[in-house]
C-alpha cells in the first residue's frame, strides 16, 4: 500500500476533501439562493482579454464570446449546480474522483477567465487529492461503494462489463 493510501494518512486527505467540499457547496448554494446570472462575469472575462498584458487569453475569450455568452442560460444552471454537486460529493466521499475532476475543471476555467481569488488554492487541493486516489475517499462513501460497484458491474476475470438482460 502506498503511504498516501494509509488509513491514518487518509484522515488528513479526508479533512482536505471535506473542507474543499464545504467551499464548493457554499459557493453553489449562495448562487442558487441569490439567483445567478453569469452574463456579467462572462463579459468581464472577455474584457480582460484586451490590452497590452491581457489576463485572459484570446482563444479563451473567443470561446466565451462565441459559446458561453450565447448559452448563458445553460451556464446559469451548470455552474451553481455543478458547484453544489461537487461539494456534496466531496463532503460525503461519494463519487469523489469525478467530483474532484469537476472541481478542478471549474477552478481552471475560473482562472482562465481571469479570476484569481481562492481558485489557485482550491485547484491545488483538488489536484493533490486526485494524486492520492483511494486515499482521498478511504474515509468516505466510496470506500464501500466502489468495491461493491466493481464486484457487481464487472466479471472477476476479464474485467468486461456484464451484458444487459433484455426483457
Amino acid at each position: 500500500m502506498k503511504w498516501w493510501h494509509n488509513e491514518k494518512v487518509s484522515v488528513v486527505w479526508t479533512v482536505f476533501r471535506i473542507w474543499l467540499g464545504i467551499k464548493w457547496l457554499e459557493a453553489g448554494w449562495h448562487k442558487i439562493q441569490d439567483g445567478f446570472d453569469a452574463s456579467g462575469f462572462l463579459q468581464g472575462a472577455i474584457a480582460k482579454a484586451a490590452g497590452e498584458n491581457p489576463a485572459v487569453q484570446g482563444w479563451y475569450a473567443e470561446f466565451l464570446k462565441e459559446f458561453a455568452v450565447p448559452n448563458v442560460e445553460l451556464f446559469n444552471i451548470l455552474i451553481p449546480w455543478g458547484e453544489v454537486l461537487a461539494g456534496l460529493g466531496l463532503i460525503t466521499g461519494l463519487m469523489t474522483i469525478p467530483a474532484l475532476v469537476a472541481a478542478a475543471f471549474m477552478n481552471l476555467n475560473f482562472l482562465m477567465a481571469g479570476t484569481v481569488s481562492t481558485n489557485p488554492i482550491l485547484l491545488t487541493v483538488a489536484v493533490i487529492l486526485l494524486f492520492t486516489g483511494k486515499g482521498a475517499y478511504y474515509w468516505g462513501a466510496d470506500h464501500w461503494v466502489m468495491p461493491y460497484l466493481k464486484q457487481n458491474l464487472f466479471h472477476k476475470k476479464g474485467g468486461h462489463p456484464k451484458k444487459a438482460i433484455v426483457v
Side-chain angles (χ1 to χ4, degrees):
M1 177 183 271
K2 296 180 174 98
W3 69 267
W4 56 85
H5 292 175
N6 178 293
E7 177 181 330
K8 292 178 177 111
V9 175
S10 293
V11 171
V12 174
W13 308 137
T14 301
V15 170
F16 281 123
R17 188 194 76 226
I18 292 171
W19 173 82
L20 185 61
I22 290 169
K23 294 297 179 190
W24 280 110
L25 181 62
E26 287 175 343
W29 188 248
H30 287 296
K31 287 177 179 79
I32 291 169
Q33 290 294 314
D34 300 338
F36 178 69
D37 184 4
S39 300
F41 177 81
L42 295 173
Q43 292 302 329
I46 292 167
K48 292 177 187 175
E52 196 172 310
N53 297 308
V56 176
Q57 295 293 304
W59 68 268
Y60 193 74
E62 282 300 311
F63 162 75
L64 295 176
K65 187 166 47 172
E66 300 299 325
F67 183 75
V69 170
N71 296 295
V72 71
E73 293 302 320
L74 176 63
F75 283 87
N76 289 343
I77 295 167
L78 290 177
I79 292 170
W81 284 104
E83 291 176 352
V84 165
L85 292 173
L88 290 173
L90 293 171
I91 291 167
T92 62
L94 180 63
M95 300 302 289
T96 305
I97 301 302
L100 286 168
V101 169
F105 182 73
M106 287 187 288
N107 283 130
L108 179 62
N109 276 279
F110 296 149
L111 283 166
M112 289 192 301
T115 304
V116 178
S117 184
T118 59
N119 289 301
I121 296 165
L122 300 179
L123 177 59
T124 301
V125 172
V127 169
I128 290 169
L129 290 173
L130 281 167
F131 172 73
T132 68
K134 292 178 188 176
Y137 60 79
Y138 186 90
W139 299 104
D142 283 342
H143 182 75
W144 295 278
V145 171
M146 296 310 284
Y148 175 82
L149 290 176
K150 286 178 184 177
Q151 180 181 359
N152 291 299
L153 293 180
F154 295 94
H155 291 290
K156 291 183 181 187
K157 289 188 179 183
H160 301 292
K162 291 182 179 178
K163 293 185 180 186
I165 300 171
V166 180
V167 182

